[in-house]
Amino acid sequence: MKTDTSRLLFERAKTRIPGGVNSPVRAFKAVGAAPRFIAGANGSRIWDVDGNEYIDYVGSWGPLILGHAHPEVVTAVIAAVEKGTSYGANCEVEIQLAEKICQLMPEIDMVRMVNSGTEATMSAIRLARAYTKRDKIIKFAGCYHGHGDSFLIQAGSGATTLGIPSSPGVTEAIAGDTLIAHYNDIDSVKNLVENFPQQIAALIVEPVAGNMGVVLPEPGFLGSLRQIADDHNFLLIFDEVITGFRLALGGAQTYYHVKPDLTTLGKIIGGGLPVGAYGGSTEIMEMLAPVGPVYQAGTLSGNPLALSAGLKTLELLEQKDVYPKLREKASYIFNGMAENFKRAGIPVVANAVESMGCFFFKQGLVTNYDDATKSDIKLFGRYHQLMLEHGVYLAPSQFEATFLSLAHSKEDLDRTLEVHGRVCRGLKQK
Ligand code: HOZ
């Protein structure tokens, strides 16, 4: 496979952009391959600048549940752009998207739009601290809530991929207000609550962890978090930046029937454009300025292009049978891959729910960060490289998810399984 142009561009990028990338995992450092520069995308496919075509299972890290350049989303964005790109003033699509989110996620009475998931989580904990008049938050090792200082402590995603889960530059004072529990381990939460009485403002959790690879909540885990938050008067925040509108129309909270106090969103609600949002009850949300004293603002917040793309995406997701179709595609590919691994004698742990999943290169189970980080990263790197060379584009890290979209056809899935079978046999022989 020819990669000369991508390589040249990467060298050029490195002279002006740190590491040549605007988000670290894109450097492909963990998998030892040359990062591809993308020239275009449509449906389930992406093309690089060397003319190679790939079946894409990254989907821009989750937003593209309808596939790339969905015609109706493109039309909505063009219609919006023709009316101007940004006003720094109110426009109707802000209300339309807010109404749609509140309709689909019944725990949200009011929602504030921001520009990224990072902004959403940072703002949500500020609000939680103001509401409870407490300082500390609990997060789980391996969960990733964007790159806000409070969250870069035992963080997953690129931070784990690059071996810097707790970043320099975060002050001790800030780190001291973030307490770390262990995913699927309720006792670890109870211990923190007992050790820091009346000090915890909020517990934030990815209801399905998607940034230490995919790790599912064990039965009762999310419900127990709800109970502990109620018993100790702190807020439960579901970070649904990945799971929102991915697991189900109402996100993980409707899928698992657990009601958070605040929800953070991003990815799908921007249809592939930069966006984030956070929402909850009127009582909590009206603490935000200009109604209340908690400050948060943004020049491009509520941007009409992003919100038009997001609104159209949600409208399309409301159509009949969307989630069963996604589930069917996901089961087909994940089961097929699991079978290929098994036939080749490569031990993996398959974790998947609805249209997101991953394979950990290890034996046993993966129920938390410790389990996930025991995976054979080198083997994953070789696997990734071979899949890429054969035209299948997976996230370049053991600690990220594989995403299905409605655009993945049966032909795409069969082609992927055929490549995957060959890659598995090749991996075993090495
Ligand atoms: N942290 C993102 C995935 N969980 C990476 C986004 C990107 O590099 O584009």
Side-chain angles (χ1 to χ4, degrees):
M1 175 177 277
K2 202 171 146 286
T3 55
D4 307 8
T5 315
S6 273
R7 284 174 196 276
L8 274 174
L9 287 178
F10 192 41
E11 289 313 310
R12 186 173 140 209
K14 280 194 272 192
T15 66
R16 292 294 180 196
I17 303 170
V21 290
N22 283 311
S23 189
V25 268
R26 296 181 200 173
F28 281 37
K29 216 169 167 179
V31 292
R36 305 313 198 242
F37 278 70
I38 304 305
N42 197 279
S44 62
R45 308 283 170 135
I46 53 175
W47 295 271
D48 70 19
V49 285
D50 288 287
N52 302 304
E53 180 176 295
Y54 307 89
I55 305 174
D56 178 27
Y57 291 95
V58 178
S60 192
W61 307 87
L64 299 173
I65 192 163
L66 302 173
H68 292 275
H70 187 285
E72 290 189 52
V73 176
V74 170
T75 303
V77 174
I78 291 172
V81 84
E82 281 172 347
K83 292 188 275 182
T85 53
S86 175
Y87 314 126
N90 311 317
C91 55
E92 192 178 358
V93 69
E94 296 175 278
I95 312 169
Q96 291 170 312
L97 185 60
E99 286 171 349
K100 182 61 69 191
I101 291 172
C102 295
Q103 173 206 331
L104 297 175
M105 289 189 156
E107 294 317 302
I108 302 183
D109 297 333
M110 296 190 123
V111 61
R112 174 61 68 83
M113 303 305 302
V114 289
N115 297 292
S116 67
T118 293
E119 262 189 77
T121 53
M122 279 166 38
S123 310
I125 58 162
R126 181 182 305 142
L127 187 55
R129 284 171 166 151
Y131 183 77
T132 58
K133 299 188 177 63
R134 298 172 179 181
D135 289 343
K136 297 201 185 296
I137 60 160
I138 297 178
K139 80 172 274 290
F140 292 95
C143 278
Y144 180 73
H145 306 288
H147 62 87
D149 284 357
S150 300
F151 304 115
L152 282 182
I153 298 146
Q154 296 197 40
S157 191
T160 290
T161 305
L162 298 176
I164 41 173
S166 301
S167 172
V170 175
T171 65
E172 272 179 38
I174 288 176
D177 276 338
T178 300
L179 308 173
I180 302 295
H182 302 288
Y183 205 79
N184 280 322
D185 178 353
I186 281 297
D187 286 341
S188 72
V189 177
K190 286 184 180 158
N191 285 342
L192 291 174
V193 172
E194 273 162 29
N195 290 336
F196 296 91
Q198 312 293 321
Q199 293 175 61
I200 295 159
L203 179 148
I204 185 164
V205 63
E206 295 179 76
V208 171
N211 287 289
M212 49 173 140
V214 174
V215 177
L216 275 53
E218 287 177 347
F221 175 61
L222 298 173
S224 300
L225 297 181
R226 173 71 275 168
Q227 191 60 53
I228 296 172
D230 286 344
D231 292 347
H232 297 272
N233 300 312
F234 58 80
L235 300 188
L236 177 63
I237 305 174
F238 273 9
D239 180 348
E240 294 229 44
V241 169
I242 290 180
T243 52
F245 307 99
R246 165 72 54 188
L247 293 202
L249 254 187
Q253 50 200 269
T254 59
Y255 192 81
Y256 292 110
H257 306 289
V258 177
K259 298 175 176 180
D261 299 298
L262 286 173
T263 301
T264 57
L265 296 167
K267 300 198 191 269
I268 289 175
I269 60 159
L273 276 81
V275 93
Y278 60 108
S281 67
T282 303
E283 185 194 354
I284 300 175
M285 293 303 287
E286 284 200 335
M287 288 201 67
L288 285 175
V291 191
V294 180
Y295 200 72
Q296 178 271 311
T299 298
L300 291 171
S301 293
N303 176 265
L305 306 193
L307 271 49
S308 299
L311 181 62
K312 180 51 72 184
T313 300
L314 295 192
E315 284 169 359
L316 292 168
L317 289 176
E318 282 184 288
Q319 290 178 357
K320 198 168 165 276
D321 287 343
V322 160
Y323 288 92
K325 274 187 209 149
L326 275 166
R327 186 183 312 133
E328 197 182 319
K329 290 173 196 288
S331 318
Y332 187 72
I333 195 85
F334 291 135
N335 290 339
M337 285 179 158
E339 190 56 35
N340 282 339
F341 280 123
K342 196 170 159 197
R343 268 202 223 115
I346 301 169
V348 290
V349 178
N351 280 2
V353 55
E354 297 294 319
S355 59
M356 60 187 279
C358 88
F359 291 95
F360 292 97
F361 283 78
K362 72 179 290 293
Q363 292 184 336
L365 294 173
V366 178
T367 63
N368 59 30
Y369 186 56
D370 281 350
D371 295 339
T373 50
K374 286 187 185 115
S375 303
D376 185 339
I377 306 301
K378 278 205 179 121
L379 188 58
F380 175 85
R382 278 189 9 236
Y383 163 71
H384 180 274
Q385 202 162 343
L386 287 172
M387 292 294 282
L388 192 66
E389 280 165 13
H390 289 86
V392 178
Y393 194 90
L394 300 173
S397 165
Q398 172 72 90
F399 306 110
E400 301 284 356
T402 296
F403 294 110
L404 269 293
S405 79
L406 279 172
H408 286 96
S409 64
K410 174 83 170 27
E411 188 202 348
D412 291 328
L413 304 180
D414 283 335
R415 163 100 187 110
T416 304
L417 288 178
E418 188 262 320
V419 162
H420 185 260
R422 269 190 286 142
V423 165
C424 287
R425 290 191 290 278
L427 268 186
K428 191 61 192 173
Q429 278 154 20
K430 280 206 173 175

